[in-house]
Amino acid sequence: WVHGDLKCTWSRYQTLRSNLRRNVKIWLQKGSLPNRVKLAPFGKPGDMNRWTITGTTFEADHQGYQETVFTIGNGYVGTRGAFEEGYPGRQPVTLVHGLYDDVPIVHTELVNAPNWLDLNIELDGQRFRLDKGEVLAYERQLDLRSGVLTRCVRWRRPAGGTVHLVFERFASLDDPHVLVLRCRLTSVDFSGVVMIQAGISGIVDNQGYRHWQIVDQGGEGPRQVYLTVETKATATVLSEAATLTVNGPSPVAYVALNCPWTPMVTAHCKVEPGQTVTADKIVTLFTAREVASPQTAALDRLARLTSRDYGDLRKTHDAAWQVLWETCDVTIDGDAEADLAVRFSLFHLLIAAPRFEERSSIPAKTLSGLGYRGHVFWDTEIFMLPLFVYTQPQIARNMLMYRYHTLSGARRKAIAQGYEGAMVAWESAATGDETTPRWVPVWVQEQGEEQLVRIWCGDIEQHISADVAYAVHHYWRATGDDEFMADYGVEMVLETARFWASRVVWNADANRYEICDVIGPDENHDHVDNNAFTNGMARWNLETGLTVLSWLQERSPAKASRLMTALDLYPMMLARWQQIIDYLYLGLDDDTGLIEQFDGFYELETVSFDAYEPRDIAFQALFGIEETQRLQILKQPDVLMLLYLMELAGSTRAADEVTIRANWAYYTPRTDLTHGSSLGPAIQAALAARLGEVDEAIACFRLAADTDLRDVRGNTAEGIHGATAGGLWQAVVFGFAGIRLTNSGPVAEPQLPPGWSRLAFRLCWRGRWYEFDLRPTNRGSSRGKIASSNSDAS
Ligand code: IFM
């Protein structure tokens, strides 16, 4: 059958045509761009589609985007979906939790680790590359259930001779230090010598900056090599060791080559048409962050793995994933795209979450890209953490402990700026010191050149201190982990409260406390006074400080008094906290319920968003930074974000329904949800669904869902938007399922979008698992079924 320039069999054509129709229907419904990665629901029938991301096209120009989407990881390491054999101009990236090194301007960054993927294949001297010869078939699949990335390529050499290659890779979830790669080569009509070369390449950089220097490299026998390197500034040692095992129809000859920077194992064998050669590369990776001698650890671990083959490693890896998904999965029936999008988001958060340690946390772009240099923002505590609080509390604890271990950096920042307590870094890395770059080059359209723009967030986007305290309390409330709270949590809440107490100023004329010169979540407006989000969160932080201190005094008076002494907290100071709570300005109009986003917001010029549609850039890019400051255009929800968090925390003081509705109606049309911050749509969806505005909710949800799957912002190449991924989970659980957190457990008040025939997930609340299985017939509120068999209630 010939259709355009597509030639195929009749049955293949029928399948393609029906997929095409479905695609077009979905694009029209969604009004969005055709997806660049063709998702499996469009391609194949059956239940597996809900767990598979399929890329059927190789686009040389969009590799960055696909590399991000096809990132694999295990909570210790993340490896982007670069090709084993490389591609001209592309750079493989592997990031290890907490492995930072210094770099100019942005202070410090996660270092791109030596490339463990390196695997080259030559057929009678001709190297397999996608930009040479002829690619006859190509498909990549990421199996979200098992975290295995597969690539199938049918390739004809420039000199003729076709082979079929199937690559598989995974980062073991069972043993975080083990990375596995398999390549199966089947000859279609090639007859000759196959050479397989598996190396560890230290020739990697972070966008041109090289962090490594060699410590040692070499081989142990003909099939094993290692490379040990050290970061230039922080002197952190990393070692990788690898073995190559090749099984083919003819005898295999190995030789280890100790090439500078890239030790490698080479294997040769012969194939004939119809025969298959299988190459298994097993890599171990350790850093000095976990062990005294990474090299010894990497070689020892590899030695211990000699008795285990690929199948065996896969089995334990798959089993670990199965256990993980049992608690984390969300099922949406009736909307395959939503179902897959949420699972894709969960997958990316799960592979980036620090499962094995508490001295690192999830960077804004997870471990899937170099964007934001691996720095940790409020994205982590406010957007991503809730998933873990309710499904993997131990991981949530690790993430919060990262903030505890980096308190000293936050204290240094407070002192440097003339405040007290802990002033959490807007961008945080290994030590908790501020790592936000002060100046960044930005392309200015009107001038047709790059200009340096001053970034103020590190100085004045301060709400993050309260956000961290909020997250601590959220975790404690949901888990009842009193030991964590007593030993670490209270200190974090008190230290951040102490910061706010030193940060507010008394305005005698207006008879109120104020917080001046800040940036709120809406970064379109900087240097503003009394940003509602900042003030609201600061007040909550102070209030909660007093509450948790009383709790600790009751539970453990000695500990409380030690802490009070250490933090220099005395009764008069606490009385002042209460005074600040009572007099901190919130901008709330009692009559209308409206909260002014910051002093003077109402006087700014309004803009009709519709007049600028269709639009594919942010308003800030359209109008310029200065001009946008003068307009009522929000980059992301600000007042609404505050109300969302307060309502979730059960604080009725600011977040009653009348107030939320009034502000919803006012701020929604002023928020650039389509092209503003990627943090906006998912939370807007959650709030909309809680208000019963289901159409708005599902539209925002889809916007968020497309962020990385369809690269709608065009910057997925820099890494997964972790906050969007976490926000998507919140949109489903707190939004569409309408989970209310009551003292007797989570209760659902569902608002399912049209077409959703079932929404199912599990939540852990104070040590008990609650199963939610919501259908459209559920009306009113619905209690989760307690999952544990010995529970006395359901
Ligand atoms: O933390 C966010 C911020 O809210 C908006 N700009 C991007 C940051 C990192 O994702």
Side-chain angles (χ1 to χ4, degrees):
W1 186 260
V2 182
H3 179 86
D5 56 6
L6 178 79
K7 287 189 192 145
C8 60
T9 62
W10 169 249
S11 67
R12 175 86 179 121
Y13 172 68
Q14 292 290 20
T15 320
L16 286 170
R17 209 173 58 154
S18 66
N19 292 338
L20 190 68
R21 262 198 245 113
R22 285 168 63 188
N23 262 336
V24 169
K25 205 166 128 208
I26 288 164
W27 298 336
L28 290 178
Q29 275 170 359
K30 291 163 52 58
S32 65
L33 295 168
N35 49 324
R36 291 191 193 133
V37 171
K38 294 189 178 50
L39 303 181
F42 307 149
K44 290 179 184 170
D47 184 52
M48 269 310 283
N49 295 335
R50 296 167 152 232
W51 290 88
T52 315
I53 304 294
T54 306
T56 53
T57 49
F58 167 66
E59 290 179 65
D61 295 345
H62 290 118
Q63 288 187 68
Y65 155 49
Q66 295 212 9
E67 282 169 13
T68 297
V69 168
F70 291 125
T71 296
I72 56 161
N74 59 12
Y76 169 70
V77 62
T79 296
R80 283 166 62 77
F83 298 132
E84 287 77 358
E85 70 283 4
Y87 194 87
R90 297 306 308 168
Q91 159 92 277
V93 173
T94 288
L95 300 173
V96 181
H97 255 306
L99 184 58
Y100 290 94
D101 191 35
D102 299 353
V103 64
I105 300 171
V106 291
H107 306 279
T108 177
E109 64 185 358
L110 277 182
V111 180
N112 186 11
N115 178 26
W116 67 275
L117 295 176
D118 191 60
L119 191 90
N120 278 296
I121 295 164
E122 278 184 18
L123 303 170
D124 271 351
Q126 286 203 319
R127 184 172 275 209
F128 162 66
R129 287 167 51 155
L130 288 182
D131 63 327
K132 294 276 185 283
E134 210 180 330
V135 177
L136 304 171
Y138 172 93
E139 185 175 84
R140 269 207 286 187
Q141 287 203 336
L142 175 62
D143 179 6
L144 304 174
R145 199 190 294 276
S146 63
V148 175
L149 178 65
T150 306
R151 175 171 54 133
C152 302
V153 184
R154 190 171 281 246
W155 183 72
R156 187 182 293 134
R157 298 188 319 147
T162 302
V163 289
H164 191 77
L165 297 143
V166 180
F167 294 87
E168 279 177 14
R169 69 172 80 147
F170 63 92
S172 172
L173 196 70
D174 175 49
D175 181 342
H177 300 282
V178 175
L179 307 161
V180 183
L181 178 57
R182 162 170 274 194
C183 174
R184 267 175 303 138
L185 178 150
T186 303
S187 165
V188 177
D189 60 8
F190 170 76
S191 140
V193 175
V194 177
M195 188 199 78
I196 297 171
Q197 206 168 56
I200 304 170
S201 173
I203 307 172
V204 288
D205 58 64
N206 284 52
Q207 295 162 332
Y209 193 87
R210 291 191 62 179
H211 285 278
W212 298 114
Q213 49 204 20
I214 296 256
V215 175
D216 192 9
Q217 66 168 84
E220 302 228 332
R223 292 200 299 119
Q224 185 172 318
V225 285
Y226 66 88
L227 174 71
T228 302
V229 287
E230 182 182 51
T231 54
K232 283 181 186 156
T234 51
T236 310
V237 175
L238 174 149
S239 188
E240 290 179 27
T243 49
L244 178 70
T245 308
V246 176
N247 287 304
S250 64
V252 180
Y254 295 96
V255 54
L257 302 170
N258 198 12
C259 307
W261 284 97
T262 307
M264 61 179 77
V265 176
T266 302
H268 288 83
C269 65
K270 278 188 162 172
V271 284
E272 297 296 334
Q275 293 182 332
T276 298
V277 177
T278 305
D280 291 338
K281 179 180 182 185
I282 298 176
V283 180
T284 54
L285 188 162
F286 283 84
T287 79
R289 295 185 72 252
E290 313 95 45
V291 289
S293 169
Q295 185 167 308
T296 310
L299 290 169
D300 285 356
R301 183 63 53 91
L302 207 54
R304 285 215 327 251
L305 292 175
T306 46
S307 60
R308 300 187 61 191
D309 64 6
Y310 178 89
D312 186 30
L313 291 170
R314 256 305 287 275
K315 214 183 275 171
T316 48
H317 165 76
D318 288 358
W321 266 109
Q322 197 182 338
V323 172
L324 191 56
W325 278 119
E326 269 164 25
T327 62
C328 302
D329 190 30
V330 170
T331 302
I332 301 169
D333 285 343
D335 187 340
E337 254 207 288
D339 186 64
L340 186 70
V342 172
R343 198 163 289 116
F344 171 75
S345 297
L346 299 182
F347 173 81
H348 275 289
L349 290 176
L350 292 172
I351 62 171
R355 292 161 60 80
F356 310 100
E357 63 150 315
E358 53 178 49
R359 284 177 189 270
S360 65
S361 193
I362 310 180
K365 299 283 186 182
T366 69
L367 295 181
S368 63
L370 301 176
Y372 290 123
R373 314 290 178 138
H375 296 175
V376 180
F377 294 65
W378 72 312
D379 306 35
T380 305
E381 281 76 21
I382 296 299
F383 295 80
M384 307 181 213
L385 187 91
L387 158 72
F388 298 101
V389 166
Y390 295 99
T391 64
Q392 292 286 317
Q394 180 55 42
I395 294 181
R397 189 181 195 275
N398 286 349
M399 290 160 74
L400 292 169
M401 286 303 292
Y402 159 77
R403 291 295 189 184
Y404 182 80
H405 291 304
T406 50
L407 262 184
S408 46
R411 289 182 173 123
R412 280 191 291 273
K413 180 175 174 186
I415 291 170
Q417 294 221 15
Y419 303 118
E420 293 169 11
M423 186 179 186
V424 178
W426 176 245
E427 295 186 27
S428 180
T431 62
D433 290 284
E434 186 56 73
T435 58
T436 307
R438 292 196 137 203
W439 297 90
V440 295
V442 170
W443 177 260
V444 183
Q445 191 64 38
E446 307 91 74
Q447 263 99 57
E449 60 175 15
E450 267 192 352
Q451 285 185 355
L452 282 181
V453 169
R454 175 71 159 91
I455 302 297
W456 287 103
C457 305
D459 307 64
I460 59 173
E461 189 150 0
Q462 295 166 355
H463 59 81
I464 188 165
S465 293
D467 304 335
V468 169
Y470 180 92
V472 165
H473 188 262
H474 192 167
Y475 167 81
W476 180 46
R477 181 163 174 245
T479 59
D481 186 348
D482 289 348
E483 184 227 309
F484 163 83
M485 197 59 188
D487 293 346
Y488 314 104
V490 172
E491 185 173 343
M492 285 194 264
V493 176
L494 292 177
E495 273 298 70
T496 45
R498 221 154 67 83
F499 161 66
W500 292 115
S502 70
R503 178 65 178 82
V504 298
V505 288
W506 176 248
N507 180 337
D509 295 336
N511 195 38
R512 65 192 193 198
Y513 281 102
E514 299 187 336
I515 302 176
C516 299
D517 195 19
V518 296
I519 304 177
D522 164 27
E523 294 169 342
N524 278 353
H525 300 95
D526 54 35
H527 296 287
V528 300
D529 294 341
N530 293 315
N531 164 248
F533 184 88
T534 308
N535 287 22
M537 292 296 285
R539 186 176 74 174
W540 180 91
N541 196 163
L542 286 157
E543 249 170 11
T544 308
L546 292 179
T547 315
V548 300
L549 183 59
S550 313
W551 172 80
L552 190 64
Q553 280 167 330
E554 214 164 285
R555 177 192 155 98
S556 176
K559 202 175 254 180
S561 106
R562 272 200 305 277
L563 197 55
M564 285 180 72
T565 311
L567 303 185
D568 202 14
L569 289 175
Y570 43 91
M572 252 176 61
M573 187 182 262
L574 299 177
R576 182 165 169 272
W577 285 18
Q578 187 57 55
Q579 207 185 18
I580 300 169
I581 294 163
D582 295 339
Y583 287 91
L584 185 57
Y585 182 61
L586 260 199
L588 172 69
D589 180 326
D590 288 326
D591 296 332
T592 60
L594 218 52
I595 299 175
E596 188 171 27
Q597 190 182 300
F598 51 81
D599 290 355
F601 182 85
Y602 296 143
E603 279 84 66
L604 300 181
E605 206 178 300
T606 55
V607 175
S608 158
F609 285 18
D610 285 349
Y612 294 90
E613 301 300 348
R615 173 174 61 94
D616 57 11
I617 52 170
F619 279 116
Q620 202 186 48
L622 201 62
F623 296 127
I625 294 172
E626 296 301 318
E627 179 60 15
T628 312
Q629 296 256 22
R630 289 190 276 275
L631 305 172
Q632 285 192 352
I633 298 174
L634 278 61
K635 184 174 168 186
Q636 67 194 73
D638 195 302
V639 170
L640 292 179
M641 187 75 208
L642 171 72
L643 297 177
Y644 171 70
L645 293 182
M646 289 299 115
E647 202 237 339
L648 220 54
S651 164
T652 47
R653 188 151 144 176
D656 60 279
E657 201 182 325
V658 175
T659 313
I660 297 176
R661 280 199 183 280
N663 287 283
W664 163 266
Y666 183 82
Y667 284 107
T668 298
R670 290 167 168 80
T671 309
D672 186 5
L673 287 165
T674 47
H675 296 96
S677 164
S678 64
L679 279 68
I683 296 300
Q684 184 84 7
L687 194 58
R690 282 174 95 76
L691 290 172
E693 305 282 350
V694 181
D695 289 348
E696 169 84 16
I698 193 69
C700 289
F701 172 88
R702 295 213 193 279
L703 208 54
D706 282 352
T707 302
D708 289 320
L709 267 181
R710 289 200 167 79
D711 193 15
V712 287
R713 289 165 186 277
N715 62 358
T716 294
E718 293 168 17
I720 289 289
H721 294 77
T724 308
L728 221 51
W729 183 87
Q730 296 192 49
V732 170
V733 171
F734 298 136
F736 297 121
I739 291 295
R740 265 67 180 170
L741 305 165
T742 72
N743 282 336
S744 56
V747 174
E749 288 182 24
Q751 295 282 350
L752 299 190
W756 288 28
S757 53
R758 178 175 174 234
L759 169 58
F761 54 88
R762 307 179 90 203
L763 298 180
C764 185
W765 177 261
R766 299 189 182 157
R768 275 185 155 174
W769 284 95
Y770 291 76
E771 265 180 35
F772 289 87
D773 194 334
L774 308 169
R775 321 265 170 156
T777 47
N778 293 358
R779 287 280 169 259
S781 66
S782 147
R783 223 156 252 289
K785 197 163 166 255
I786 294 178
S788 63
S789 51
N790 59 357
S791 62
D792 53 3
S794 70

Coordinates of all heavy atoms in Angstrom, one line a residue, residues 364-365 372 377-379 383 426 461 463 521 523 635-636 677-679 723, ligand 1:
A364 N 15.8 20.7 40.8 CA 14.7 21.2 40.0 C 14.5 20.4 38.8 O 13.4 20.1 38.3 CB 14.8 22.7 39.7
K365 N 15.6 20.0 38.1 CA 15.5 19.2 36.9 C 15.8 17.8 37.1 O 16.4 17.1 36.2 CB 16.5 19.8 35.8 CG 16.2 21.3 35.5 CD 15.0 21.4 34.5 CE 14.8 22.8 34.1 NZ 13.6 23.0 33.3
Y372 N 19.6 24.3 35.6 CA 19.7 24.7 37.0 C 20.8 24.0 37.7 O 20.9 24.0 38.9 CB 18.4 24.6 37.7 CG 17.4 25.6 37.3 CD1 16.1 25.1 36.8 CD2 17.6 26.9 37.3 CE1 15.2 26.0 36.4 CE2 16.6 27.8 36.8 CZ 15.4 27.4 36.4 OH 14.5 28.3 36.0
F377 N 15.6 23.7 44.7 CA 14.7 24.9 44.9 C 13.6 24.5 45.8 O 13.4 23.4 46.2 CB 14.2 25.4 43.6 CG 15.1 26.0 42.6 CD1 16.1 25.2 42.0 CD2 15.1 27.3 42.2 CE1 17.0 25.7 41.0 CE2 15.9 27.8 41.2 CZ 16.9 27.0 40.6
W378 N 12.6 25.5 46.0 CA 11.4 25.2 46.7 C 10.6 24.2 46.0 O 9.7 23.5 46.5 CB 10.6 26.4 47.0 CG 9.9 27.1 45.8 CD1 10.5 27.3 44.6 CD2 8.5 27.5 45.7 NE1 9.5 27.9 43.7 CE2 8.3 28.0 44.4 CE3 7.4 27.5 46.6 CZ2 7.1 28.5 44.0 CZ3 6.2 28.0 46.1 CH2 6.1 28.5 44.8
D379 N 10.8 24.0 44.7 CA 10.2 23.0 43.9 C 10.1 21.6 44.6 O 9.1 20.9 44.5 CB 10.9 22.7 42.6 CG 11.2 24.0 41.8 OD1 11.4 25.0 42.4 OD2 11.2 23.9 40.5
F383 N 6.4 21.1 45.8 CA 5.8 20.4 44.7 C 6.0 18.9 44.6 O 5.2 18.1 44.4 CB 6.3 21.0 43.3 CG 5.8 22.5 43.2 CD1 6.5 23.5 43.8 CD2 4.7 22.8 42.4 CE1 6.1 24.8 43.7 CE2 4.3 24.1 42.3 CZ 5.0 25.1 43.0
W426 N 18.0 30.1 48.1 CA 17.0 29.9 47.0 C 17.4 28.8 46.1 O 16.6 27.9 45.7 CB 16.9 31.2 46.2 CG 16.0 31.1 45.1 CD1 16.3 31.2 43.8 CD2 14.6 30.8 45.1 NE1 15.2 30.9 43.0 CE2 14.1 30.7 43.8 CE3 13.7 30.5 46.2 CZ2 12.8 30.4 43.5 CZ3 12.3 30.3 45.9 CH2 11.9 30.2 44.5
E461 N 14.3 36.3 47.0 CA 13.2 35.4 47.0 C 13.3 34.5 48.2 O 14.0 33.4 48.3 CB 13.2 34.5 45.7 CG 11.9 33.7 45.6 CD 11.4 33.4 44.2 OE1 12.1 33.8 43.2 OE2 10.3 32.8 44.1
H463 N 10.8 33.4 50.4 CA 9.7 32.5 51.0 C 10.2 31.1 51.2 O 9.6 30.3 51.9 CB 8.5 32.6 50.1 CG 8.7 32.1 48.7 ND1 8.7 30.8 48.3 CD2 8.9 32.9 47.5 CE1 8.9 30.8 47.0 NE2 9.0 32.0 46.5
P521 N 6.4 34.0 44.6 CA 6.4 33.0 43.5 C 6.3 33.6 42.2 O 6.8 33.1 41.2 CB 5.3 32.1 43.9 CG 5.1 32.2 45.4 CD 5.5 33.7 45.7
E523 N 7.5 35.6 39.8 CA 8.8 36.3 39.6 C 8.8 37.4 38.6 O 9.8 38.0 38.3 CB 9.9 35.3 39.3 CG 10.2 34.3 40.4 CD 11.0 33.1 40.0 OE1 11.1 32.8 38.8 OE2 11.6 32.4 40.9
K635 N 3.5 35.3 36.7 CA 4.3 34.2 36.0 C 3.7 32.9 36.5 O 3.7 31.9 35.8 CB 5.7 34.4 36.4 CG 6.7 33.4 35.8 CD 8.1 33.7 36.1 CE 9.1 32.6 35.7 NZ 10.4 32.9 36.2
Q636 N 3.3 32.8 37.8 CA 2.7 31.6 38.3 C 1.8 32.0 39.5 O 2.0 33.1 40.0 CB 3.7 30.6 38.7 CG 4.6 31.0 39.9 CD 5.8 30.1 40.0 OE1 6.8 30.2 39.2 NE2 5.8 29.2 41.0
S677 N 5.6 30.3 34.3 CA 6.4 29.2 34.9 C 5.7 27.9 34.8 O 4.5 27.7 34.8 CB 6.6 29.6 36.4 OG 7.0 28.4 37.1
S678 N 6.6 26.8 34.6 CA 6.1 25.5 34.5 C 5.5 25.0 35.8 O 4.8 24.0 35.9 CB 7.2 24.5 34.1 OG 8.2 24.5 35.1
L679 N 5.7 25.8 36.9 CA 5.2 25.4 38.2 C 3.7 25.8 38.4 O 3.0 25.3 39.3 CB 6.0 26.1 39.3 CG 7.3 25.4 39.7 CD1 8.3 25.6 38.6 CD2 7.8 26.0 41.0
A723 N 9.1 19.9 39.4 CA 7.9 20.5 40.1 C 6.6 20.2 39.4 O 5.6 19.9 40.0 CB 8.1 22.0 40.3
Ligands
IFM1 O1 11.6 27.5 41.6 C1 11.2 27.8 40.3 C2 10.6 29.2 40.3 O2 9.4 29.2 41.1 C3 10.2 29.6 38.9 N1 11.5 29.6 38.1 C4 12.1 28.3 38.1 C5 12.4 27.8 39.4 C6 13.1 26.4 39.3 O3 12.1 25.5 38.8

